[in-house]
Amino acid sequence: VQLVESGGGLVQPGGSLRLSCAASGSMFNRFKMGWHRQAPGQQRELVATITSGGAIEYGEFVQGRFTISKDRPKSTVYLQMNNLKPEDTAVYYCLAAGITGSETWGRGTQVTVSS
């Protein structure tokens, strides 16, 4: 298994979660890693990505609530999510992409925001 997500769960609105994506060495060194999400009945959308050079991109809905980071010694990418909203409920997928556009996806981790 090349990408393994963890850290999802049930949280109340306003709460926080930290997602982790542990990558095999070759996956971690790819051009871009990050997170997308997919809610029921909706298309998969960008949450956050980080390139090997450290450039970061966030989805428009993030609005300062989420932070992506990577730990090179652990070959792990993190997504710290704060001030979670019910509309953040989705399956969150880890992605590793090569510079030519090839993509590898993890199996996903469920995040549910509900009171």
Short mmCIF file of all heavy atoms in Angstrom, two decimals, residues 2 21 24 33 38 50 54 58 61 64 77 80 88 102 104-105 107-108 110:
data_model
loop_
_atom_site.label_atom_id
_atom_site.label_comp_id
_atom_site.label_asym_id
_atom_site.label_seq_id
_atom_site.Cartn_x
_atom_site.Cartn_y
_atom_site.Cartn_z
N GLN A 2 0.62 2.16 -0.88
CA GLN A 2 1.53 3.29 -1.06
C GLN A 2 1.12 4.53 -0.28
O GLN A 2 1.98 5.33 0.08
CB GLN A 2 1.63 3.59 -2.55
CG GLN A 2 2.24 2.43 -3.33
CD GLN A 2 2.25 2.70 -4.81
OE1 GLN A 2 1.24 3.04 -5.40
NE2 GLN A 2 3.41 2.54 -5.42
N CYS A 21 -1.32 11.24 6.18
CA CYS A 21 -1.15 10.39 5.02
C CYS A 21 0.29 9.88 5.02
O CYS A 21 1.21 10.65 4.74
CB CYS A 21 -1.44 11.15 3.74
SG CYS A 21 -1.12 10.19 2.24
N SER A 24 4.77 5.71 1.07
CA SER A 24 6.02 5.00 0.81
C SER A 24 7.04 6.01 0.30
O SER A 24 6.67 7.07 -0.19
CB SER A 24 5.80 3.91 -0.22
OG SER A 24 5.43 4.48 -1.45
N MET A 33 1.83 16.38 -3.29
CA MET A 33 1.00 15.55 -2.42
C MET A 33 -0.07 16.42 -1.81
O MET A 33 0.10 17.64 -1.69
CB MET A 33 1.83 14.89 -1.33
CG MET A 33 2.77 13.81 -1.83
SD MET A 33 3.40 12.78 -0.49
CE MET A 33 1.89 11.95 0.04
N GLN A 38 -14.58 14.17 -1.02
CA GLN A 38 -15.79 13.91 -1.78
C GLN A 38 -16.93 13.65 -0.82
O GLN A 38 -16.87 12.72 -0.02
CB GLN A 38 -15.60 12.72 -2.72
CG GLN A 38 -16.76 12.51 -3.68
CD GLN A 38 -16.43 11.55 -4.79
OE1 GLN A 38 -15.49 10.77 -4.71
NE2 GLN A 38 -17.18 11.62 -5.87
N ILE A 50 0.56 20.31 -1.58
CA ILE A 50 1.88 20.89 -1.34
C ILE A 50 2.86 20.22 -2.29
O ILE A 50 2.86 19.00 -2.43
CB ILE A 50 2.30 20.72 0.14
CG1 ILE A 50 3.65 21.40 0.41
CG2 ILE A 50 2.32 19.25 0.56
CD1 ILE A 50 3.98 21.53 1.89
N GLY A 54 7.53 23.04 -1.85
CA GLY A 54 6.88 23.73 -0.74
C GLY A 54 5.74 24.66 -1.13
O GLY A 54 5.16 25.32 -0.26
N TYR A 58 -4.75 25.82 -1.59
CA TYR A 58 -5.92 25.42 -0.83
C TYR A 58 -7.19 25.63 -1.66
O TYR A 58 -7.26 26.54 -2.50
CB TYR A 58 -6.06 26.26 0.45
CG TYR A 58 -5.01 25.98 1.50
CD1 TYR A 58 -3.97 26.88 1.72
CD2 TYR A 58 -5.06 24.83 2.28
CE1 TYR A 58 -3.01 26.64 2.69
CE2 TYR A 58 -4.11 24.58 3.25
CZ TYR A 58 -3.08 25.48 3.45
OH TYR A 58 -2.12 25.24 4.40
N PHE A 61 -12.88 27.05 -0.25
CA PHE A 61 -13.73 26.95 0.93
C PHE A 61 -12.90 26.89 2.22
O PHE A 61 -13.42 27.07 3.30
CB PHE A 61 -14.59 25.67 0.86
CG PHE A 61 -13.77 24.41 0.91
CD1 PHE A 61 -13.46 23.84 2.13
CD2 PHE A 61 -13.30 23.82 -0.24
CE1 PHE A 61 -12.69 22.67 2.21
CE2 PHE A 61 -12.53 22.67 -0.19
CZ PHE A 61 -12.22 22.09 1.03
N GLY A 64 -8.59 29.72 5.49
CA GLY A 64 -7.71 29.83 6.64
C GLY A 64 -7.95 28.81 7.74
O GLY A 64 -7.28 28.83 8.77
N VAL A 77 2.29 13.36 5.19
CA VAL A 77 1.67 14.66 4.94
C VAL A 77 0.49 14.79 5.89
O VAL A 77 -0.28 13.83 6.08
CB VAL A 77 1.20 14.78 3.49
CG1 VAL A 77 0.43 16.08 3.27
CG2 VAL A 77 2.39 14.72 2.54
N GLN A 80 -4.17 19.66 9.06
CA GLN A 80 -4.77 20.13 10.31
C GLN A 80 -6.03 20.90 9.95
O GLN A 80 -5.97 21.88 9.19
CB GLN A 80 -3.79 21.03 11.06
CG GLN A 80 -4.37 21.62 12.33
CD GLN A 80 -4.65 20.58 13.40
OE1 GLN A 80 -3.84 19.69 13.63
NE2 GLN A 80 -5.80 20.69 14.04
N ASP A 88 -18.16 20.28 5.91
CA ASP A 88 -16.86 19.63 5.71
C ASP A 88 -16.96 18.11 5.76
O ASP A 88 -15.96 17.41 5.52
CB ASP A 88 -15.86 20.09 6.77
CG ASP A 88 -15.50 21.56 6.65
OD1 ASP A 88 -15.30 22.03 5.51
OD2 ASP A 88 -15.44 22.24 7.69
N SER A 102 0.49 12.04 -13.51
CA SER A 102 0.06 10.73 -13.02
C SER A 102 -0.32 10.83 -11.56
O SER A 102 0.31 11.56 -10.79
CB SER A 102 1.18 9.71 -13.21
OG SER A 102 2.32 10.11 -12.49
N THR A 104 -1.76 8.90 -7.82
CA THR A 104 -2.01 7.75 -6.96
C THR A 104 -2.86 8.23 -5.80
O THR A 104 -2.55 9.25 -5.19
CB THR A 104 -0.71 7.15 -6.44
OG1 THR A 104 0.10 6.72 -7.54
CG2 THR A 104 -0.98 5.95 -5.53
N TRP A 105 -3.92 7.48 -5.52
CA TRP A 105 -4.86 7.87 -4.47
C TRP A 105 -4.84 6.86 -3.33
O TRP A 105 -4.69 5.66 -3.55
CB TRP A 105 -6.28 7.95 -5.03
CG TRP A 105 -6.47 9.03 -6.03
CD1 TRP A 105 -6.29 8.93 -7.38
CD2 TRP A 105 -6.88 10.37 -5.78
NE1 TRP A 105 -6.56 10.15 -7.97
CE2 TRP A 105 -6.94 11.04 -7.02
CE3 TRP A 105 -7.21 11.08 -4.62
CZ2 TRP A 105 -7.29 12.39 -7.13
CZ3 TRP A 105 -7.58 12.41 -4.73
CH2 TRP A 105 -7.62 13.05 -5.97
N ARG A 107 -7.09 5.24 0.02
CA ARG A 107 -8.45 4.70 0.10
C ARG A 107 -9.43 5.66 0.76
O ARG A 107 -10.64 5.45 0.68
CB ARG A 107 -8.43 3.38 0.86
CG ARG A 107 -7.66 2.28 0.14
CD ARG A 107 -7.71 0.97 0.90
NE ARG A 107 -7.03 -0.10 0.16
CZ ARG A 107 -6.94 -1.35 0.59
NH1 ARG A 107 -7.48 -1.69 1.74
NH2 ARG A 107 -6.30 -2.25 -0.13
N GLY A 108 -8.93 6.67 1.41
CA GLY A 108 -9.80 7.66 2.02
C GLY A 108 -10.06 7.44 3.49
O GLY A 108 -9.97 6.32 4.00
N GLN A 110 -12.98 8.85 6.50
CA GLN A 110 -14.24 9.57 6.67
C GLN A 110 -14.11 10.64 7.74
O GLN A 110 -13.62 10.38 8.85
CB GLN A 110 -15.35 8.59 7.07
CG GLN A 110 -16.69 9.25 7.35
CD GLN A 110 -17.36 9.78 6.10
OE1 GLN A 110 -17.41 9.11 5.08
NE2 GLN A 110 -17.90 11.00 6.18
#
